[in-house]
Amino acid sequence: MQHRSFIYRTYDLYRDGFRHMTIGKMLWLIVIVKLFLIFVVLKIFFFPNFLSQHAEEGEEAEYVATQILTIDN
Amino acid sequence: MQEILSTIDTGTIEWSRAQFALTAIYHWLFVPLTLGLAVIMGIMETCYYRTKNVFWRDVTKFWQKLFGINFAMGVATGIILEFEFGTNWSNYSWFVGDIFGAPLAIEGIVAFFMESTFVAVMFFGWKKVSAGFHLAATWLTGLGATISAWWILVANAWMQNPVGCEFNPDTMRNEMVSFADVALSPFAVDKFCHTVISAWIIGAVFTVAVSGWYLMKRREIPLAKASMKIGAIVGIVAAMGAAITGHHSAYSVAQVQPMKLAAMEALYNGGTDQSLTGIALINPFEQPDYANQEEPELKIAVPYALSFLATNDLHGYVPGINDIIKGGYTNADGEVEPSLEEKIERGQLAINALAAYRQAKKDGADEATLTSYLSTLSSNMKYFGYGYIRSVDQVVPFIPINFYAFRMMVGMGCLLILFFAVILFFVYRKDIARAPKWLYLSALAMILLSYIASECGWLVAEFGRQPWTIQDMLPTWVSVSHLQSSSVMITFFIFLALFTTLLAVELSILVKQIKKGPEYEAQV
């Protein structure tokens, strides 16, 4: 093992680690489901980038200025 | 009088704030336990490294397993806060983007990768790497998490005390002019020290409580005794450290956010030789009549302590809410503090100058005209946010929540010092394995209390700076996106359901693993 390359030893660390996980398998499943919910469901359907939806690219400053400097005297 | 953003639904502001608070509170359930357990298991593995006694390896592995469960559950919960910035707080996000970008990018790239790399070595590498390298990986996992916390707290501290930046009227953004001023501002340093040390308390309480539960059940006694000792030592050191860093934090707040300190103290009228309120009677559901009341009813106070806390001088001057509104006193910078009325006027000058500059630029005005507007903007930019203030009440945070949250945090901090001292008394002078049952039960109760104290700290930090998202620069109602309040409300309840489910899953896995107990390779 000591003569193996750094890359192989790193690969071996992860391969063996994932193979022998016990509670870790369930945790990974939860993490994957959570990441799916956060990055796919929440981000796409509930958290669009407001400025990119309401302002042309490059015109964000103008949009924000309109929003925060709108003054009715 | 100007009417700005009059069409923004107040429900949008309140629901957006509630949603951000919910997400932050949920995220903060995992972070302190990660930071705290990292120190505990680092110390345990150091014991193994030094003694070569495999008992310590088993103890370390057990706490690492609980750390891993908490770590997995907390992963990516903070990213939702960034989604909320982009959707619910788009004006704010644009306004500060260049400042936040650097700390959050460093947090994401350096700290996250460091953390995730060494987590793998820590969990998978027991038989693959040398004991020294494994020990380093364990400490570096904790260090990575702490560096993550550093950058997030730098970003938060900048909102409380915006330094090292310059506003660009063309891009409508604040741009960083000094990375060192942003990353190493005294406010950020104090916030980091106090927050991280208080997180260690959570890890210590958790360790002591789980160990206490084993002792109560008369099982895993060697592991529980050893863990209790380390947990209590870390706990008492951290609790005393939190008291010291808390003093520095309060001093920083007094320098840059005097209104927050006045709200925390329900100090309506300040002066020199100010006493620190221990307790007073304030209606928790109603803003007190600070303009007409001299001080809260039934006030019991420690003489001179507030002056010392705020100025490091027993006789120092501490402004109250009415003093800050009236102005005229010498502030921390040695300047005469302008009245709120003057700040509002100067804020309006800044807003009008910015609007006029942008319009003039579109109209192709000459350089002298543009320079004149920029000069007005620059000299009044410090009070930009006050231009949106319509009444005095808007700049006074809700006093009851600040007042009671601060007292709960400090009170529970003192209780925790006492608690760890009692545990250490039983560890060193008696037999902790034969301590009375109430001590073990109180350790379990302390988990809840320490979390309440920790969340109260955040309540003070965030409610205390209202109405500002960025201190003196941008109030909440200008920062928020022009969204339907109903859509923010719906996502609030989706989060509530999601977070509650995830929390229930985490707790069930955690409890199951605690009940299962450690797996010994050593003969116990």
Side-chain angles (χ1 to χ4, degrees), chain B residues 312-387:
Chain B
N312 283 338
D313 177 354
L314 289 173
H315 308 292
Y317 177 83
V318 186
I321 291 168
N322 296 319
D323 304 303
I324 296 167
I325 291 167
K326 284 180 206 147
Y329 62 91
T330 306
N331 63 23
D333 297 329
E335 296 164 358
V336 176
E337 185 71 11
S339 67
L340 181 64
E341 206 175 312
E342 187 186 336
K343 289 178 188 172
I344 291 172
E345 276 173 25
R346 291 184 65 177
Q348 288 177 351
L349 278 175
I351 292 169
N352 287 330
L354 177 59
Y357 167 81
R358 292 184 64 84
Q359 188 58 49
K361 198 156 187 195
K362 273 186 214 161
D363 298 342
D366 58 76
E367 199 63 34
T369 308
L370 295 176
T371 308
S372 153
Y373 289 136
L374 285 181
S375 168
T376 308
L377 175 64
S378 171
S379 56
N380 296 292
M381 190 64 205
K382 190 177 174 187
Y383 304 107
F384 186 86
Y386 287 95

Side-chain angles (χ1 to χ4, degrees), chain B residues 67-79:
Chain B
F67 170 91
I69 294 166
N70 180 65
F71 187 83
M73 290 297 150
V75 162
T77 51
I79 207 84

